[in-house]
Amino acid sequence: MRSFAGPSVAGRKVLITGAARGIGAALARRLAERGAHVALLGIEPDLLAEVAAECGGVPWRYCDVGDRAQVERVVAALVGELGGLDVLVANAGIAKQMAMIGGDLSVLEETLAVNVLGVAYAVSAAGPHLSHARGYVLMMSSFSASVQLPLGGAYSASAAAVASLSATLRAELRSTGAKVGVSYFAGIDTEMTVRGFGTAAAHTVLGDTSLTGNAPIGPAIAALERAIARRRATVVSPWWVVLVRPFRPVAQLVVQRLHGDRVARAVEIARTEDAPFTTEQPARPRTMERQA
């Protein structure tokens, strides 16, 4: 009987940032199982080495995506080991709660350095190798670019910026045949989500669970695999995200009503709570220090 399985990731040369854990690690394993040639980068060497071994001994490098020179050097090395590049998955990202008034604005600086500048650095370094008819860039945004939660301003801003960058890059790469995709995920059951919502301030707003609960990671990874195979413009998970996104203003009003008076107390807690980033970051110069 004839097979109508559709496009496959087999044989694709894929570079994944933030591949030490969570979505990045799970996607690397999935793509390697499906016959893709993957290369990994991240800031947790022991975990990266384990993931690389599970993927069949694929190449990997330590890389802080917030360091432009480091990204350029590491991407060039990994592309060389892969023998070219078909796909970049700009997955590296962090999150941390921040009160807009009275909060620590360095949280915003650090979040943008990783989630936005890190994406831009990776795209800039990998772009020349991807500008061909099979090329594909997948940027990881978030449902929070559409519907924002209290104390999540830094992460939501970074997600919205990534979505904007993806639209710009799509237009710029059109003549090369390369395509650009962007993901809009909500509450996937990963360490990042658990850590991000595991604070006293978050529990004050949301209670013991988020509005929808955390969705299993499996369907999200399957959706990413399909997006890479078909070079899709948009990928969502869980399924209901595609239904809610067109009604963002209504969804935002629902969020505000559900949280009610708990927000003021949560903001007070967040101003003094010692909450870590979802992934501990290496020391790097602050934005203003780099400009001095």
Side-chain angles (χ1 to χ4, degrees):
M1 182 178 292
R2 202 177 214 179
S3 173
F4 294 93
S8 166
V9 298
R12 307 279 181 96
K13 299 170 182 177
V14 185
L15 176 61
I16 305 174
T17 73
R21 65 169 81 221
I23 287 174
L27 179 61
R29 297 186 192 100
R30 175 84 169 223
L31 296 181
E33 289 174 359
R34 298 294 196 268
H37 306 294
V38 300
L40 319 174
L41 63 83
I43 59 172
E44 297 169 292
D46 292 343
L47 292 177
L48 274 173
E50 289 179 14
V51 176
E54 293 166 353
C55 293
V58 301
W60 65 274
R61 293 286 193 286
Y62 173 93
C63 182
D64 171 15
V65 296
D67 183 328
R68 181 177 178 180
Q70 198 174 137
V71 172
E72 291 174 349
R73 183 173 64 253
V74 169
V75 167
L78 289 175
V79 170
E81 292 193 46
L82 283 174
L85 191 63
D86 299 312
V87 180
L88 168 67
V89 181
N91 168 73
I94 57 173
K96 182 176 179 177
Q97 66 189 25
M98 183 194 75
M100 288 295 298
I101 299 175
D104 181 3
L105 291 179
S106 70
V107 172
L108 178 60
E109 294 178 350
E110 190 82 0
T111 303
L112 296 179
V114 175
N115 297 8
V116 181
L117 291 179
V119 168
Y121 295 159
V123 168
S124 178
H129 308 285
L130 290 163
S131 299
H132 56 78
R134 283 169 52 87
Y136 181 63
V137 179
L138 179 56
M139 298 183 183
M140 308 296 280
S141 181
S142 168
F143 182 59
S144 66
S146 302
V147 179
Q148 293 77 40
L149 294 177
L151 305 177
Y155 185 75
S156 294
S158 72
V162 168
S164 294
L165 289 176
S166 72
T168 299
L169 183 63
R170 184 176 295 119
E172 293 180 2
L173 284 179
R174 184 176 180 182
S175 64
T176 71
K179 295 187 178 182
V180 177
V182 60
S183 72
Y184 297 99
F185 288 174
I188 305 301
D189 189 12
T190 64
E191 289 181 63
M192 180 179 184
T193 304
V194 171
R195 292 178 182 182
F197 288 105
T199 66
H203 281 299
T204 300
V205 175
L206 300 174
D208 293 331
T209 62
S210 64
L211 292 175
T212 58
N214 291 331
I217 192 172
I221 300 304
L224 290 174
E225 181 195 356
R226 290 192 297 271
I228 292 170
R230 295 166 172 79
R231 299 194 303 157
R232 287 180 171 169
T234 303
V235 53
V236 302
S237 189
W239 61 269
W240 54 260
V241 171
V242 74
L243 302 179
V244 176
R245 286 189 69 235
F247 304 98
R248 299 173 194 125
V250 175
Q252 192 68 55
L253 285 174
V254 171
V255 167
Q256 292 174 0
R257 291 289 180 88
L258 288 176
H259 292 157
D261 296 335
R262 293 174 293 177
V263 174
R265 176 58 183 151
V267 169
E268 283 185 26
I269 295 171
R271 285 172 180 155
T272 57
E273 185 176 14
D274 185 18
F277 276 102
T278 49
T279 300
E280 185 178 352
Q281 294 298 293
R284 68 173 69 89
R286 295 276 184 87
T287 302
M288 296 307 295
E289 294 172 346
R290 288 197 294 268
Q291 295 175 348

